[in-house]
Structures are given as C-alpha cells and as structure tokens.
Amino acid sequence: MPIALVVHGGAWDIPDDEVAPHRAGCRRACDAGWHVLQAGGSALDAVEAAVRVMEDDPIFDAGTGSVLNVDGIVECDAAIMDGASLRSGAVAAVQRVRDPIALARRVLASQVVLLVGAGAERFADAAGHPRCAHTDLIVPREVVRWHDVRARLAHQPRQAFERPLGEVAGRGIVAGPMGTVGAVALDAAGHLAAATSTGGTGNKPAGRVGDSPIVGSGLYADDETAACSTTGWGESIVRVVLAKTATDLVGRGMAPAAAAGAAIEILARRGGGLGGCILLDRGGRVGYAFNTPRMAHAYRCGDGPVVDGI
Ligand code: ASP
C-alpha cells in the first residue's frame, strides 16, 4: 500500500514576504509526517506530527503565532479524526495551550468528541497536559495586525467591529492573512486520518468557534472514501459541511483533484464562501483547491519528492 501525506498552511492572501516561510514551514511539516509514515507509523500519528510542527512555527495561525481575538488573546480550535474507526477528538476556544492538536488527540482517546473553553482547559490540567502563558502564544506580527484591523474597522458599526475578520472579509470589507494548518495522511496499513488546527479568524469574538474543530466541516476522514482538511472563512465552510462534501464526492467516484475543485465551487456558490481544502483518497491520490488568492500546501506520495505550492 503506498503511503501519502498532504499538509496545508492556510488560505487567504498570504503577503509576498510571508510566502517563503509558509512554503518552508509546510515542507518541514510534510517531512515530519512523512518520517512517521515511513517508519511504519499510523496516519493518525503522522497528521498529529505534521500539525504540531506547524503549531510551533510562528508563521502559521495555529498554536504559537495565532491571530488574536477581540480581547487581544489567542483562543485555539483543533480536531483530529481516524478514518478507520470514524472516531474523532476536538478542542475549541481553548486558551494557554501550545499544541491544541495534541490535546485534541487526548480527547480522541477519551469518551467524548469535543471539549470547549474552560472545560477543555480543566481536561488538559487533569491529564497533565502542559499549559503556557497567554503571552507565549502571541507574536509581535499579530499584535500589529490586531491594532491595524481594529483601527480599520473603527468606523464600522459596533456589530461589524465585533464580527470575525473572516466574515468581514467575505463581505468584501477587509481581508487579512490567516494560516490555519491541516494534514491528511494514508499509512502503510491503508488507513486515512485528518487533522486541523487554528487560532481562527482575527479579531473574532471571545468564544467564537469556526469550522476547524467541527467534524465534517474542518476535517473528515473515512477509510472507505478519503481524508480532508479545510481552511478559510469558517462560517461559510460550516454552511456546506465542506470536508464531508469533498470526501463524499470522492465516495461517488470523483478523483480527489476534481472533488476538491467541485467542493470549493459548492463553497462559493452555496456558502458564499472563501477557502481551500486538501484531499487524499484511499489509493493515495492527492487533490487540493482554493478560491482565495493563496493556500500554502505541500505533499508527498509513494516514492515521489516533496512538492510544495502556494
Ligand atoms: N477556518 C478558520 C476559521 O474560520 C480560519 C482559517 O482557516 O483561516 O476559524
């Protein structure tokens, strides 16, 4: 059985001076996941390893380097899904956790599928999962962006000011770079897995949860069809259950490349949305598509080299 891995480092209009670090970060993540698969590890371990590399890389909107919410702090969402059992684990609106995907993995091993906010943090503490300070996750770039976004939106009515940046961007008012991360993998045993982690959308309301930790929207994995991780304007992605939509298209016989494109077309037409997705089927065939200016990504299949793009 061929092994394969695809990662993304977020959609939106990644600025020119951040293109190289996004590509390099995706390649590093791809390498980390690949080492797991090559050593005979599981797809689940591979997607977790890949996403953790990107959570630690401050260029991405996940873990360290996440965008700031309306209160100027980082709140993260993450989820992981096993295509063999269809089991998943997720955390949402969680604070002071460097590696939300590892915490989501702990949830996967528990009796529940999704823990949020204070409950997720209590779960982390009870499990001995390392916590950090708010400031450990905040990078100067995002502080500058946070002040900039608030200044640009200051003339908008209060309601617009408190909307997540992604929604405002969807209304054509202002766009901003974000960098949710995700990975999908196929292991030597023929199992698929998916993982997605994000700081969400800039200036989002406290407690706002997007698509990323929602099974079917931010990710999906089913050994009978495909694995998918998504990025983009979360509120629109939820409308069309983007990850499940994409994997269902593969299940109906579409090649992943065509299915990814068709799913993003549905996101735009029915969800009025912006975003991207990566897709991997049980034969190790790769697909990706996006309708934002850029989406950082990298993949590796079988004996091939790492391929990256943006
Ligand atoms: N989908 C993420 C969210 O809405 C953001 C992103 O992918 O850029 O939380």
Side-chain angles (χ1 to χ4, degrees), residues 118-183:
E121 290 155 21
R122 205 189 303 173
F123 172 82
D125 293 339
H129 194 89
R131 305 286 303 284
C132 62
H134 285 296
T135 46
D136 291 337
L137 303 177
I138 297 175
V139 298
R141 177 196 69 229
E142 292 306 329
V143 176
V144 171
R145 276 185 187 149
W146 184 76
H147 284 293
D148 181 50
V149 166
R150 293 176 72 84
R152 278 190 287 155
L153 296 183
H155 64 282
Q156 301 286 336
R158 184 169 173 78
Q159 205 192 355
F161 183 66
E162 290 189 342
R163 276 202 187 108
L165 180 58
E167 182 171 347
V168 177
R171 289 152 52 92
I173 297 171
V174 65
M178 285 169 265
T180 293
V181 304

Side-chain angles (χ1 to χ4, degrees), residues 12 61 178-180 198 200-201 208 210-212 231-235 237:
W12 303 104
D61 173 24
M178 285 169 265
T180 293
T198 188
T201 50
R208 177 265 186 189
D211 59 303
S212 304
T231 174
W233 175 24
E235 281 72 9
I237 289 172

Side-chain angles (χ1 to χ4, degrees), residues 166-167 170-171 233-242 245 262-275 291:
E167 182 171 347
R171 289 152 52 92
W233 175 24
E235 281 72 9
S236 67
I237 289 172
V238 167
R239 282 178 206 145
V240 299
V241 202
L242 183 61
T245 295
I264 295 302
E265 189 275 327
I266 292 168
L267 172 69
R269 183 170 48 83
R270 295 293 298 127
L274 295 166
N291 64 357

